[in-house]
């Protein structure tokens, strides 16, 4: 999947058809010939058994889901059949219509249990008149190939579904490993059915990470059985709601069935007003300890009780999200009364270490780049030290730096460039961002031109492996 300027398309494609057949544009696409009708008994054919390769348990469910989609689009009684050796077709000899899409999947050796940061989403799709073949190394590549096949279908003159060309060749793979959308459930609650709708849309356009910003000023949005008081009361009374643990487990499974990872973010130690109910368990806050009305940042404290409470809570949350990445936020921590910068940075480093001790890769916003501090008293050296492993922490660049600059420091980076990817900004909804930027379009649809941004800008070839990708941020502040 690539930008238009980087794609190789067949000469027979017009500029319009190259840009509208499939989105995002594949790495390679060529097509020619007249339209090709789908037979009324069109079938998706599992070719895996014919090659002696054991199909993943996720494949039948994937084929069923796309069969149902094709039926809703108008293909009657879509079948899911096994390949008949020696025929190359289903239900009879090939005719003027396409009777089947054969699917051949490589031996993924358990890699299809759930999508990961290293999942192979590549696929190829070949159509030759009455024969069509989709090949992929993983079931998630099969999903992407089927999404492409569905996008290719158009309504024919007789009202039936047709492919726009009788000869099509597509080879595709994502340019970046991280293609995400952030949902800010910490400020505004998103019902589960809305998240399902979003996941369906993400799958259709081959995005693969749902960044669930699960806590902020307004709420801790995920049920805790250790600290049930967290979701009993909405802190601000704005857009109340929370997810049960069963709902989270089901959401993760629903996303995985569409090739999407769910990466949680629990924003600590700032943006933590939602954790005020845990003060009775020993969690300390900056500011006036006798009046927590406006408390919003957690204090490291002197007896380690804050860290103890947070470690138990994060450990419970980590058990609900199987993804290897766990985001602690660390966004916009401030020097507040009772919380000197040095103590706050030490607490952030301790939280990163806690995440890593759970077998997770830690992640946080770009403020972590300043994470050096004077060690606690009793340490071997009093000189400021960098407090975490660059290679074990992913940094979100969004405002004061870029993914390329983060990668140059040795970190893995995910870009969320605010002027382009914060959707409050490009369309002109955020008055602050309108100032001085109306040349780019600050009213209505024209403003979406600002959404284009090269996440690798400024990066050398050596740095590109450190740039994992990007996510859009329709934050609801």
């Amino acid at each position: 999947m690539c930008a238009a300027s980087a794609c190789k398309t067949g000469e027979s494609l017009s500029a319009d058809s190259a840009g509208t057949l499939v989105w995002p544009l594949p790495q390679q696409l060529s097509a020619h010939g007249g339209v090709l009708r789908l037979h009324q008994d069109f079938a998706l054919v599992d070719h895996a058994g014919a090659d002696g390769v054991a199909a993943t348990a996720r494949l039948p469910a994937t084929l069923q889901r796309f069969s149902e989609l094709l039926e809703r689009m108008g293909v009657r009684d879509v079948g899911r059949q096994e390949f008949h050796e020696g025929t190359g077709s289903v239900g009879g000899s090939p005719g003027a219509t396409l009777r089947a899409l054969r699917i051949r999947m490589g031996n993924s050796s358990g890699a299809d249990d759930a999508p990961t940061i290293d999942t192979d989403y590549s696929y190829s799709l070949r159509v030759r008149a009455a024969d069509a073949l989709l090949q992929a190394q993983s079931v998630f590549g099969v999903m992407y190939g089927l999404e492409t096949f569905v996008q290719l279908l158009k309504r024919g003159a007789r009202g039936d579904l047709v492919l726009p060309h009788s000869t099509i060749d597509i080879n595709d793979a994502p340019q970046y490993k991280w293609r995400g959308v952030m949902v800010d459930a910490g400020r505004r609650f998103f019902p589960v059915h809305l998240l399902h709708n979003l996941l369906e849309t993400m799958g259709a356009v081959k995005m693969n990470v749902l960044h669930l910003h699960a806590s902020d000023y307004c709420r801790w949005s995920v049920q805790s059985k250790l600290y049930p008081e967290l979701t009993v009361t909405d802190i601000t009374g704005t857009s109340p709601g929370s997810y049960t643990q069963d709902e989270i487990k089901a959401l993760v499974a629903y996303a995985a069935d569409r090739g999407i990872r769910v990466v949680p973010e629990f924003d600590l130690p700032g943006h933590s007003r939602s954790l005020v109910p845990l003060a009775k368990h020993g969690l300390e806050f900056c500011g006036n300890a006798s009046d927590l009305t406006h408390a919003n940042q957690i204090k490291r404290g002197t007896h380690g009780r804050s860290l103890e409470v947070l470690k138990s809570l994060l450990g419970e949350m980590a058990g609900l999200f199987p993804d290897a990445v766990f985001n602690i936020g660390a966004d916009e921590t401030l020097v507040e009364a009772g919380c000197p910068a040095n103590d706050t940075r030490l607490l952030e480093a301790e939280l990163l270490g806690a995440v890593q001790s759970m077998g997770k890769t830690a992640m946080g916003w770009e403020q972590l780049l300043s994470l050096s501090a004077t060690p606690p008293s009793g340490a071997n050296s009093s000189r400021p030290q960098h407090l975490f492993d660059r290679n074990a922490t992913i940094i979100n660049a969004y405002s004061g730096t870029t993914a390329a600059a983060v990668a140059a420091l040795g970190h893995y980076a995910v870009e969320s460039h605010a002027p382009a990817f914060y959707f409050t900004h490009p369309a002109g909804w955020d008055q602050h961002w309108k100032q001085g930027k109306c040349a780019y379009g600050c009213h209505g649809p024209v403003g979406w031109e600002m959404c284009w941004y090269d996440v690798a800008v400024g990066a050398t070839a050596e740095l590109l492996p450190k740039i994992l990708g990007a996510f859009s941020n329709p934050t609801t502040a």
Side-chain angles (χ1 to χ4, degrees), residues 32 36-37 59 68 97 109 126 130 134 162 191 253 276-277 281 302-303 368 384 391 406 427 434 458 460-461 464:
H32 58 85
L36 178 63
R37 292 177 52 238
L59 182 59
E68 293 171 357
T97 58
S109 302
R126 186 193 70 184
L134 167 61
V162 302
V276 166
H281 295 285
T302 56
H303 303 293
L368 285 174
N391 287 316
V406 170
K434 277 190 177 184
T460 63
L464 288 178

Side-chain angles (χ1 to χ4, degrees), residues 417-430 433-454:
H417 183 59
F421 295 154
Y422 275 52
F423 281 5
T424 50
H425 301 161
W429 303 325
D430 187 321
W433 280 86
K434 277 190 177 184
Q435 298 175 15
K437 292 183 169 60
C438 283
Y440 299 98
C442 288
H443 48 83
V446 176
W448 292 108
E449 295 173 359
M450 291 171 64
C451 292
W452 168 251
Y453 181 77
D454 181 359

